[in-house]
Structure formats: C-alpha cells, structure tokens
C-alpha cells in the first residue's frame, strides 16, 4: 500500500525531535516541525484517507468518477495549503502528493496512464486542472 506523504513527513519530524532530545542536534537545527506543523500533517493525512476510501469504493472505474475523486482530494489539499499561507507544500511535497495520488489509484486497479491518455494528458497531469499548490 502506498505510504501517505504525511506519514513520511511526520516520521521525519519525529526523528528530528528525537535527535534534539538526545543532544545529537541543536534545537536551532530542528526546522522540520516548522515546515510540517501538526495542523498540516493532520489535515493532509485526513484528506488522503478520505481519498483512499473514496477510490476504494469506485466499482466500475468510470473515468469521470475517478477524476471527480482526484478533483476532490486536490481541492482539499488546495484548502490545506491555503490554510498554511500557501506554503504548506513545497516542490518536493507537491511531487510526493502527486505520486501518492497516482499510486493510490493504481493500487485500486486503475490504469492511470490509460485514464490520462483518454483525456489527452499524461499521467503526471491528472491533478493539474485543479491544483494550486
């Protein structure tokens, strides 16, 4: 199963906090908790969980249903990003989120390349119509 980016980000924050507590890192070098505040992690995790659940219920793999699920998660992520002053997701995080969406769809039996092709786009563009981050 695809690992949510928010889970990876949280693990990195926790690792850095452990390093600070052990004296292996100075608090001034521990920036990840600022980059990934709990509010961002929790909201992102919740949005991705809803997406996973929704994709898991798609029975006929209808393109429009799939794109509606993608649209809903992207719009939710837009809102989360905006709630964090438009700086919640930087380049690396954006790439991770897009890859996660692709992987989640694939794991639920959706041929993302074919889905995108039927719409005349590449698989890397399936979020582009709605994505602000």
């Amino acid at each position: 199963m695809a690992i949510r980016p928010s889970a990876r980000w949280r693990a990195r924050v926790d690792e850095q906090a452990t390093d600070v507590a052990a004296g292996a890192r100075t608090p001034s070098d521990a920036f990840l908790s600022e980059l990934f505040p709990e509010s961002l992690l929790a909201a992102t995790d919740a949005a991705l969980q809803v997406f996973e659940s929704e994709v898991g219920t798609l029975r006929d793999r209808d393109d429009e249903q799939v794109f509606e699920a993608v649209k809903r998660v992207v719009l939710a992520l837009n809102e989360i990003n905006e709630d964090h002053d438009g700086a919640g997701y930087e380049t690396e995080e954006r790439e991770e989120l897009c890859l996660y969406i692709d992987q989640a769809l694939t794991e639920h039996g959706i041929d993302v390349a074919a889905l995108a092709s039927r719409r005349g786009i590449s698989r890397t563009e399936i979020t582009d119509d709605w994505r602000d981050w």
Side-chain angles (χ1 to χ4, degrees):
M1 178 167 212
I3 298 172
R4 292 181 198 140
S6 49
R8 282 197 297 273
W9 304 336
R10 185 182 308 282
R12 290 173 47 204
V13 169
D14 292 347
E15 180 181 331
Q16 208 170 61
T18 299
D19 288 350
V20 169
R25 179 185 299 266
T26 64
S28 62
D29 288 334
F31 61 90
L32 289 178
S33 61
E34 291 179 28
L35 185 61
F36 301 114
E38 180 57 32
S39 58
L40 176 76
L41 295 173
T44 302
D45 197 53
L48 297 179
Q49 184 176 26
V50 168
F51 174 68
E52 289 169 12
S53 296
E54 187 173 359
V55 171
T57 65
L58 297 177
R59 293 196 179 9
D60 59 5
R61 311 280 193 270
D62 174 78
D63 286 5
E64 287 310 309
Q65 289 178 341
V66 174
F67 275 110
E68 283 298 316
V70 170
K71 177 182 178 179
R72 278 189 286 280
V73 73
V74 169
L75 293 176
L77 294 169
N78 285 348
E79 188 173 320
I80 294 164
N81 190 56
E82 195 59 37
D83 289 346
H84 291 86
D85 299 322
Y89 309 125
E90 300 296 331
T91 302
E92 185 176 340
E93 292 77 34
R94 293 176 194 136
E95 291 172 1
E96 289 179 78
L97 288 166
C98 289
L99 179 60
Y100 172 81
I101 291 168
D102 185 300
Q103 289 174 336
L105 292 171
T106 299
E107 287 177 3
H108 285 90
I110 296 164
D111 183 340
V112 178
L115 173 76
S117 178
R118 288 189 294 273
R119 193 165 268 196
I121 59 176
S122 74
R123 74 184 303 151
T124 61
E125 297 174 300
I126 64 169
T127 62
D128 288 359
D129 283 350
W130 312 284
R131 187 165 60 90
D132 292 335
W133 34 272

